[in-house]
Amino acid sequence: MFREARAGDFEHILRLYRQLQPHDPVLSDGSDAAVFQQILDSPALRLFVLERDGAIVATAYLNVIPNLTRAASPYAVIENVVVDESRRGTGLGKQIMAGTLQAAWDAGCYKAMLQTGSSQPATHAFYRACGFTADAKTAYLARPS
């Protein structure tokens, strides 16, 4: 089942995020739970999960950003797409991406963007199979010094 995340999904989503970013620190001050609640409370931020047999097996994060160009149509940024490592290659990634993209289109977004830090050809093939193209825009990234 594709659905929006709920408060009780916090630990399950963190488990998936640890697969995505295994070197991220484990926070013990509750700031991660506060951010999770902030995401759940914001109508422009949508965190989705894919559930199978009672377990959360995939997640994707959709940011709908208001915009003054393109007839004031919003655009979407998709982040933190994760399928449980034990279930990769089974079509679950395409399912969560299809639901996430549909939510962007339903919100009136004129485009959806994502970036990947992966250099794996399979990752790029996956995003192309989901309808993304790498030749329409050039992405740049800045980080604090």
Side-chain angles (χ1 to χ4, degrees), residues 1-6 46-52 58-62 92-104 106:
M1 169 182 23
F2 174 83
R3 62 172 175 80
E4 289 206 48
R6 302 185 286 245
R46 302 187 61 197
L47 186 57
F48 296 110
V49 297
L50 193 62
E51 197 174 344
R52 289 289 182 271
T59 187
Y61 181 35
L62 175 69
L92 297 174
K94 286 183 183 174
Q95 289 177 35
I96 194 139
M97 286 302 299
T100 303
L101 284 170
Q102 188 59 55
D106 291 347

Side-chain angles (χ1 to χ4, degrees), residues 28-79:
S28 59
D29 63 357
S31 59
D32 51 356
V35 169
F36 181 71
Q37 191 59 51
Q38 182 181 2
I39 291 167
L40 295 183
D41 290 344
S42 173
L45 307 176
R46 302 187 61 197
L47 186 57
F48 296 110
V49 297
L50 193 62
E51 197 174 344
R52 289 289 182 271
D53 303 320
I56 292 176
V57 296
T59 187
Y61 181 35
L62 175 69
N63 299 264
V64 176
I65 301 167
N67 182 37
L68 288 173
T69 64
R70 305 292 180 140
S73 297
Y75 62 93
V77 176
I78 299 170
E79 286 283 330

Side-chain angles (χ1 to χ4, degrees), residues 124-145:
H124 295 269
F126 165 72
Y127 287 124
R128 283 192 304 274
C130 291
F132 290 89
T133 179
D135 61 354
K137 296 270 184 177
T138 300
Y140 290 90
L141 180 67
R143 295 181 191 249
S145 309

